[in-house]
Amino acid sequence: MHDDCAYAVKLIHRPPVYLFLIPSVQSSIFKKLFLLNTLFRIQSSIKHWLDKVDEHSIHSPFFYDFYLRIIRGETKSHFTDIEKLRTQLLQNNSIIKLKDLGDTSAYFKSEDRSISKIAHTSLTDAKYCELFYRIAENIEAENIVELGTSMGITSLYLAQLKKSRVTTFEGNPDLINIAKTNFELFGKKNIEIIEGNIDQTLSDYLQNPAKIDFALMDANHRYEPTVRYFNWIAKRMSDTGIIVIDDIYRSPEMAKAWNELRKHDLVYSSVDLFTCGILFFDLSLTKQHFIWSY
Ligand SMILES: C[S@@+](CC[C@H](N)C(=O)[O-])C[C@H]1O[C@@H](n2cnc3c(N)ncnc32)[C@H](O)[C@@H]1O
């Protein structure tokens, strides 16, 4: 093949890195990815809806009770002040800088975004924050690990548990400052924020041999880091420990991670709620997988 032709073919199959720096190329790649992931989510939600069961199909006494009390149950504590804070964040138009930590694309290094937009797009809904609280409360979780603090809303929910110590990881300096202010505002001494990229900070933290009772993985929603972080944390889970993975159908790669992790040797049962997945490390459970709505 003529050199020029060979180069043109190479360009089509493997576009050079600098092309991704052109804003119009970035935006068209983002739009296509967004569209593909949206189509994937629609298809997955239909499948989830067709496959889901309710309490009438649960034979295990443990999961029957878990379904009725935790999934269908109500949270007795009140989180009005945390929700007031969320409302303030939703109305805050100040701009902060977001650093790319590998959860979007290697080609997008930083981005200016309003606090209100972040609050709209990346904070866990109150309904799920309450569910995480109930799950952690049910196992009387003390040592709690959260990957992905953002502005600290889920950390604040989990820190309301009586004996909890929440260690939360965040790599964006502007979000860390906001989260720290929020923790001070609530006078929360049982939350420690670990600053920096989880790729480095999590392995350092896990040098500490303390067992983890409850972990929430809501940071880097890519296949490889999800599996890698899970494998690190799984070895530290307590006997009745639970890991919740958020956004399991956000993209085909997250669904792939979820489908592998729920079959992991250390996982004894799993619950797929579509928005998140719950993994149980309790040895006394027989291996089961449930698809429920929430
Ligand atoms: C979906 S948000 C977390 C939301 C939070 N759990 C809540 O609902 O209140 C994910 C956060 O993880 C952080 N993050 C993603 N990848 C990271 C990494 N590799 N290291 C540190 N932080 C990371 C992002 O900066 C972002 O703030």
Side-chain angles (χ1 to χ4, degrees):
M1 203 187 297
H2 189 278
D3 273 0
D4 286 347
C5 281
Y7 184 64
V9 170
K10 202 169 137 196
L11 272 191
I12 293 164
H13 287 289
R14 194 149 39 96
V17 166
Y18 63 77
L19 269 184
F20 292 97
L21 299 174
I22 303 168
S24 62
V25 177
Q26 279 186 7
S27 117
S28 92
I29 292 171
F30 250 155
K31 274 185 200 146
K32 277 191 193 126
L33 263 179
F34 182 75
L35 188 68
L36 283 175
N37 286 341
T38 306
L39 287 175
F40 176 76
R41 271 200 297 274
I42 294 170
Q43 188 194 21
S44 307
S45 73
I46 295 171
K47 185 167 173 3
H48 188 274
W49 183 75
L50 291 172
D51 292 344
K52 73 178 165 44
V53 297
D54 60 16
E55 72 268 31
H56 302 296
S57 312
I58 309 170
H59 304 297
S60 146
F62 173 88
F63 281 105
Y64 184 81
D65 174 68
F66 187 85
Y67 181 86
L68 290 182
R69 235 171 14 86
I70 311 299
I71 304 292
R72 293 280 159 257
E74 273 181 25
T75 307
K76 293 184 190 76
S77 305
H78 296 289
F79 303 99
T80 328
D81 289 345
I82 307 178
E83 287 309 312
K84 268 190 202 148
L85 170 66
R86 184 199 297 271
T87 308
Q88 284 165 15
L89 297 171
L90 284 165
Q91 290 165 352
N92 187 332
N93 290 321
S94 316
I95 302 291
I96 62 166
K97 206 167 245 334
L98 287 190
K99 205 164 96 176
D100 177 54
L101 293 159
D103 50 337
T104 51
S105 159
Y107 301 109
F108 306 102
K109 290 297 169 212
S110 66
E111 197 186 322
D112 291 338
R113 211 174 292 171
S114 70
I115 290 178
S116 119
K117 194 164 180 194
I118 299 168
H120 269 292
T121 54
S122 62
L123 300 188
T124 307
D125 290 350
K127 178 179 159 176
Y128 282 91
C129 290
E130 288 196 17
L131 175 67
F132 300 158
Y133 175 93
R134 287 199 298 276
I135 296 174
E137 183 185 40
N138 191 45
I139 52 170
E140 297 178 11
E142 294 184 10
N143 194 10
I144 295 180
V145 164
E146 177 189 40
L147 303 187
T149 319
S150 188
M151 298 185 273
I153 294 291
T154 34
S155 331
L156 283 169
Y157 268 82
L158 294 168
Q160 299 293 106
L161 283 162
K162 273 196 203 87
K163 290 185 274 176
S164 70
R165 298 180 310 281
V166 180
T167 307
T168 181
F169 292 73
E170 178 56 57
N172 258 300
D174 285 358
L175 290 176
I176 291 169
N177 287 337
I178 297 172
K180 279 183 173 170
T181 310
N182 292 339
F183 299 154
E184 271 167 34
L185 197 72
F186 279 75
K188 282 291 167 197
K189 302 261 184 280
N190 58 338
I191 308 179
E192 185 190 357
I193 183 158
I194 303 219
E195 306 177 22
N197 194 320
I198 297 166
D199 282 345
Q200 286 88 46
T201 54
L202 183 59
S203 53
D204 290 347
Y205 168 78
L206 292 171
Q207 300 298 322
N208 166 1
K211 292 280 184 196
I212 299 165
D213 301 308
F214 179 83
L216 172 62
M217 293 179 55
D218 185 19
N220 194 337
H221 298 96
R222 305 291 300 261
Y223 170 80
E224 193 280 326
T226 301
V227 172
R228 181 158 39 97
Y229 300 161
F230 175 90
N231 280 321
W232 288 343
I233 296 175
K235 294 188 195 116
R236 284 273 181 284
M237 293 307 289
S238 65
D239 291 346
T240 55
I242 289 179
I243 297 184
V244 172
I245 304 185
D246 204 38
D247 261 342
I248 52 176
Y249 292 103
R250 178 187 168 123
S251 61
E253 62 177 308
M254 274 307 287
K256 181 173 183 263
W258 164 247
N259 281 312
E260 282 179 25
L261 298 181
R262 70 181 177 79
K263 294 178 192 148
H264 192 282
D265 284 349
L266 293 173
V267 171
Y268 283 86
S269 285
S270 49
V271 171
D272 177 339
L273 295 179
F274 187 74
T275 300
C276 64
I278 312 169
L279 301 171
F280 296 78
F281 285 72
D282 190 338
L283 282 163
S284 66
L285 300 170
T286 45
K287 286 233 175 205
Q288 289 178 88
H289 177 61
F290 298 96
I291 300 177
W292 296 338
S293 66
Y294 176 63

